[in-house]
């Protein structure tokens, strides 16, 4: 990953020629400053003669493959959009969808955008409470779901009308039938073109450190999505692209659906849930060339031992990761085992990706760092008084909004807390700038550990713990300590075949002490079967911190 290629445009020359306006012009052939997300992601590809290109290759739960070309997506979404209009739905209405990764899901997204409505994802693992929380706030006008998920909408205080994939059942006789909706006469009027600040996605953050926050993504965000796919993911016309992330979350919706479709490329869905065996077989069967997944997936693939010779059979050219720090150990493993470079990308539901190791740009690629600001963004690191810090000093990562033409986040939809100060958007993450200009993730502001006066990011400790061959996953948190304020406690999940013991804990502790530092090593180690995670697979350190604190209190 440290190698740079002479054929790549360098970061600074790319920036000299780059303007967001030229990017917008490429996504839209009307040039009137307005957008329709369906037009940008499907309609224009068909009009420009690319209707035969596959938009989606989907493998269902039984291993059957289904495809949709851009022309088929155009046709089906036109019919569903015609039905939406007949129900009185239109511009700005929230339409929520809880469906597995299926052709129906993609048709629903595109039809929503086609009428100028706002697509609201609902992750299929959500239970009724998570659904209620989101639908109530968004004033959702229609829900699209299937039989397997229908019960989650039963107890809601106010359930919007339901369009049922698979049809109405005896229990829910008033549900509308998906197949009937797809026989509707296609929407005849042109998709409405809306101002760039109008929303096209109604998101909620992952809820890693508290209640999920509502984020309405404006149409202007599509520019940044497309830029990310080109520069950071290096998505090419002939790629067979698979982003494993579920479209119920930002990473999957922005970059497994909107991003690839904006570029007119083929995206892949695998309906089955994650398993290392399943992932390997899927990549082989569909000849995946460009792959993306959250770090947790890479960690599980590595721990399975199944991928160690995979580079001999896979056709991967590029891999990307986002959502959590990509452990340095995993970076090395991917290159060796999958046979392609993996690039760590940093972003948020609020902003999309803003800081990346760009596959297609030549800049220092520092293993363990999350890269450099994406063109269109100026990122700063701020101290507690919101002054910009020089390299080497940790502070909160912020977007300098005035100097970031690609920035699109306008504030939380229903959130008390304002994340904007002095023209900056504060991400809440602590980072350090390396001397080569790359940004290094230290941890979420709340997860930083203060031990004996030193501020230690959990990421460094976790990376170091992960280098021990027995470790599958780990999380580091601060545990209250009378002398040092906090001491570092590591929770560790072992790989199959390793037994938890005090001797092993000692070995790991000593290894981190020697390799990382004599002050930032885990004085306490607890072996656990699993780590607490969000439904999207992110480690929830605040839960472990509470657990560690509670244990100390009980031991007194
Ligand atoms: P919530 O805001 O509700 O607590 P969340 O912050 O996890 O949840 P997301 O928007 O899904 O919600 O995630 C964004 C966060 O994920 C970032 O602020 C950062 O903490 C973390 N993150 C994303 N990418 C990376 C990365 N490459 N390296 C380190 N951390 C990352
Ligand atoms: Mg967040």
């Amino acid at each position: 990953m440290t190698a740079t290629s002479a054929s790549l445009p360098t970061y600074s020359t790319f920036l000299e020629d780059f303007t967001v306006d030229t990017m917008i012009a490429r996504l839209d052939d009307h040039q009137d400053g307005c957008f329709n997300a369906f037009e940008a992601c499907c309609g224009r590809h068909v009009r420009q003669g690319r209707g035969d290109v596959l938009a989606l290759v989907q493998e269902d739960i039984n291993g059957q493959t289904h495809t949709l070309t851009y022309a088929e997506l155009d046709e089906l979404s036109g019919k569903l959009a015609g039905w939406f209009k007949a129900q009185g739905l239109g511009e700005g209405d929230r339409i929520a969808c809880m469906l597995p990764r299926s052709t129906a899901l993609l048709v629903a997204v595109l039809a929503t955008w086609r009428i100028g409505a706002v697509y609201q994802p609902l992750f299929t693992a959500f239970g009724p409470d998570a659904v209620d929380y989101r639908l109530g706030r968004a004033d959702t006008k229609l829900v699209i779901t299937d039989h397997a998920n229908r019960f989650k909408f039963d107890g809601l205080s106010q359930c919007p009308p339901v369009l049922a994939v698979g049809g109405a059942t005896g229990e829910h006789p008033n549900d509308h039938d998906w197949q009937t909706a797809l026989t509707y006469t296609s929407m005849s009027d042109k998709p409405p073109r809306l101002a760039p600040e109008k929303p096209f996605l109604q998101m909620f953050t992952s809820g890693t450190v508290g209640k999920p926050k509502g984020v309405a993504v404006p149409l202007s965000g599509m520019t940044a999505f497309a830029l990310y796919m080109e520069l950071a993911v290096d998505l090419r016309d002939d790629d067979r692209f698979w982003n494993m992330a579920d479209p119920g979350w930002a990473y999957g919706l922005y970059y497994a659906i909107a991003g690839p479709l904006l570029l007119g490329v083929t995206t892949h869905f695998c309906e089955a849930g994650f398993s290392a065996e399943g992932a390997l077989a899927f990549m082989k069967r569909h000849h995946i060339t460009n792959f993306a997944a959250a770090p947790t997936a890479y960690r599980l693939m590595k721990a399975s031992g199944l991928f160690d010779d995979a580079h001999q059979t896979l056709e991967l050219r590029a891999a990307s990761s986002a959502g959590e720090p990509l452990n340095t150990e995993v970076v090395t493993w991917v290159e060796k085992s999958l046979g392609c470079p993996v690039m760590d990308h940093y972003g948020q539901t609020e902003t999309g990706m803003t800081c990346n190791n760009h596959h297609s740009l030549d800049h220092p690629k520092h293993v363990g760092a999350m890269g450099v600001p994406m063109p269109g963004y100026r990122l700063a690191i701020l101290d507690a008084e919101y002054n910009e810090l020089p390299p080497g000093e940790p502070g909160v990562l912020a977007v300098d909004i005035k100097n970031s033409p690609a920035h699109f986040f306008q504030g939380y939809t229903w959130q008390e807390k304002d994340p904007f100060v002095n023209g900056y958007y504060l991400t809440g993450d602590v980072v350090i700038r390396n001397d080569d200009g790359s940004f290094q993730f230290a941890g979420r502001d709340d997860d930083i550990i203060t031990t004996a006066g030193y501020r230690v990011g959990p990421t460094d400790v976790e990376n170091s713990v992960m280098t021990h061959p027995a470790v599958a996953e780990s999380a580091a948190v601060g545990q209250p300590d009378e002398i040092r304020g906090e001491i570092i406690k590591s929770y560790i999940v072992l790989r199959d075949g390793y037994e938890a013991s005090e001797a092993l804990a000692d070995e790991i502790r000593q290894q981190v002490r020697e390799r990382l530092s004599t002050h930032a090593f885990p004085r306490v180690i607890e072996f656990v079967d699993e780590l607490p995670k969000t439904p999207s697979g992110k480690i929830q350190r605040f839960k472990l911190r509470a657990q560690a604190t509670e244990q100390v209190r009980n031991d007194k």
Side-chain angles (χ1 to χ4, degrees):
M1 188 154 126
T2 42
T4 54
S5 156
S7 59
L8 295 179
T10 67
Y11 186 64
S12 49
T13 45
F14 182 87
L15 277 190
E16 275 165 29
D17 298 337
F18 168 76
T19 71
V20 169
D21 289 346
T22 48
M23 192 71 206
I24 291 178
R26 284 180 42 206
L27 293 185
D28 185 78
D29 39 12
H30 287 76
Q31 319 281 315
D32 60 358
C34 290
F35 283 114
N36 177 278
F38 160 78
E39 269 295 298
C41 289
C42 180
R44 77 190 165 99
H45 300 314
V46 178
R47 275 189 284 105
Q48 292 165 4
R50 299 192 299 276
D52 289 343
V53 174
L54 287 178
L56 174 68
V57 174
Q58 186 256 8
E59 201 179 281
D60 69 20
I61 204 85
N62 303 313
Q64 293 274 330
T65 297
H66 308 264
T67 60
L68 278 178
T69 62
Y70 279 93
E72 287 165 337
L73 193 53
D74 180 31
E75 194 194 327
L76 292 170
S77 65
K79 292 179 175 171
L80 185 58
W83 184 82
F84 284 165
K85 297 279 279 187
Q87 307 306 304
L89 295 164
E91 218 179 292
D93 287 335
R94 267 57 172 172
I95 297 180
C97 193
M98 186 184 267
L99 288 176
R101 289 165 281 216
S102 55
T103 51
L105 173 75
L106 198 66
V107 171
V109 175
L110 273 293
T112 302
W113 291 343
R114 196 162 180 152
I115 63 165
V118 182
Y119 179 78
Q120 182 183 358
L122 292 174
F123 186 40
T124 45
F126 283 159
D129 291 350
V131 168
D132 201 16
Y133 179 82
R134 288 163 175 80
L135 292 193
R137 279 172 178 73
D139 187 24
T140 308
K141 295 289 190 288
L142 176 77
V143 165
I144 307 175
T145 191
D146 59 4
H147 292 171
N149 292 292
R150 181 63 182 86
F151 75 96
K152 297 172 185 171
F153 300 85
D154 283 346
L156 302 188
S157 32
Q158 264 192 321
C159 184
V162 172
L163 177 60
V165 174
T169 58
E171 266 172 278
H172 303 103
N174 296 329
D175 285 0
H176 300 281
D177 172 39
W178 171 263
Q179 278 311 332
T180 312
L182 285 187
T183 57
Y184 238 73
T185 316
S186 193
M187 173 173 144
S188 53
D189 31 345
K190 288 219 160 75
R193 301 178 55 71
L194 306 176
E197 61 277 6
K198 293 280 185 190
F200 75 117
L201 295 172
Q202 178 58 61
M203 307 302 295
F204 282 82
T205 59
S206 298
T208 307
V209 294
K211 282 278 180 207
K213 300 173 281 268
V215 174
V217 182
L219 285 156
S220 57
M222 286 192 301
T223 316
F225 290 2
L227 203 54
Y228 168 74
M229 296 310 290
E230 275 190 18
L231 299 179
V233 176
D234 188 20
L235 187 62
R236 301 181 190 168
D237 285 351
D238 56 355
D239 263 331
R240 288 176 296 276
F241 176 63
W242 184 30
N243 178 352
M244 219 187 221
D246 193 281
W249 300 103
Y251 191 29
L253 186 52
Y254 300 0
Y255 308 115
I257 293 186
L261 265 53
L262 279 166
L263 267 53
V265 174
T266 310
T267 194
H268 286 70
F269 285 174
C270 175
E271 186 180 350
F274 178 83
S275 77
E277 293 94 325
L280 181 59
F282 188 90
M283 284 192 215
K284 282 187 192 166
R285 242 187 333 268
H286 297 285
H287 308 277
I288 299 301
T289 55
N290 198 329
F291 176 65
T296 183
Y298 287 105
R299 287 194 297 261
L300 292 172
M301 283 157 60
K302 176 174 181 283
S304 75
L306 293 173
F307 282 77
D308 292 347
D309 297 320
H311 60 99
Q312 291 173 0
T313 44
L314 294 180
E315 297 167 48
L316 288 177
R317 180 178 68 71
S320 304
S321 164
E324 281 192 299
L326 184 65
N327 308 98
T328 44
E329 194 60 20
V330 175
V331 174
T332 322
W333 175 81
V334 171
E335 298 204 349
K336 196 166 130 264
S337 303
L338 304 190
C340 69
V342 62
M343 299 285 171
D344 187 10
H345 302 152
Y346 165 91
Q348 297 188 310
T349 307
E350 292 90 329
T351 58
M353 300 298 177
T354 49
C355 190
N356 310 306
N357 289 293
H358 301 86
H359 272 291
S360 320
L361 287 178
D362 181 6
H363 59 74
K365 309 233 165 87
H366 187 129
V367 176
M370 60 194 208
V372 297
M374 188 165 85
Y377 288 92
R378 180 174 178 274
L379 301 180
I381 299 172
L382 307 180
D383 67 14
E385 276 80 47
Y386 310 117
N387 302 307
E388 294 201 10
L389 287 164
E393 293 194 36
V396 169
L397 181 69
V399 179
D400 172 7
I401 297 175
K402 264 204 297 305
N403 296 303
S404 299
H407 177 82
F408 55 82
F409 177 51
Q410 300 163 348
Y412 295 110
T413 328
W414 309 279
Q415 186 76 9
E416 338 54 60
K417 210 173 142 216
D418 183 4
F420 302 104
V421 178
N422 300 350
Y424 294 107
Y425 160 64
L426 308 179
T427 63
D429 290 315
V430 174
V431 303
I432 304 168
R433 198 184 324 229
N434 295 319
D435 287 337
D436 62 9
S438 61
F439 287 64
Q440 188 92 24
F441 185 81
R444 287 166 193 267
D445 209 358
D446 305 340
D447 289 340
I448 301 291
I449 304 160
T450 309
T451 180
Y454 295 103
R455 279 165 64 76
V456 178
T459 311
D460 282 345
V461 182
E462 289 161 10
N463 277 340
S464 190
V465 168
M466 284 281 293
T467 58
H468 194 285
V471 178
E473 285 199 292
S474 87
V477 298
Q479 170 176 300
D481 181 77
E482 278 175 10
I483 299 166
R484 295 184 175 83
E486 283 181 322
I487 52 172
I488 301 171
K489 172 164 186 179
S490 282
Y491 287 87
I492 294 177
V493 179
L494 291 175
R495 289 183 67 178
D496 284 348
Y498 288 89
E499 284 280 317
S501 69
E502 199 36 52
L504 180 59
D506 245 357
E507 200 180 300
I508 296 172
R509 196 179 291 122
Q510 280 316 318
Q511 180 182 301
V512 180
R513 197 161 189 267
E514 279 159 28
R515 293 202 191 164
L516 181 63
S517 101
T518 47
H519 74 279
F521 69 95
R523 285 175 193 273
V524 189
I525 287 180
E526 184 174 333
F527 296 108
V528 288
D529 292 338
E530 55 182 8
L531 299 172
K533 289 183 182 171
T534 61
S536 58
K538 293 182 185 219
I539 299 170
Q540 294 180 300
R541 290 176 191 76
F542 80 97
K543 290 195 173 160
L544 295 171
R545 196 161 49 237
Q547 202 174 304
T549 307
E550 183 66 19
Q551 264 170 19
V552 172
R553 212 175 283 144
N554 292 341
D555 291 348
K556 271 191 182 165

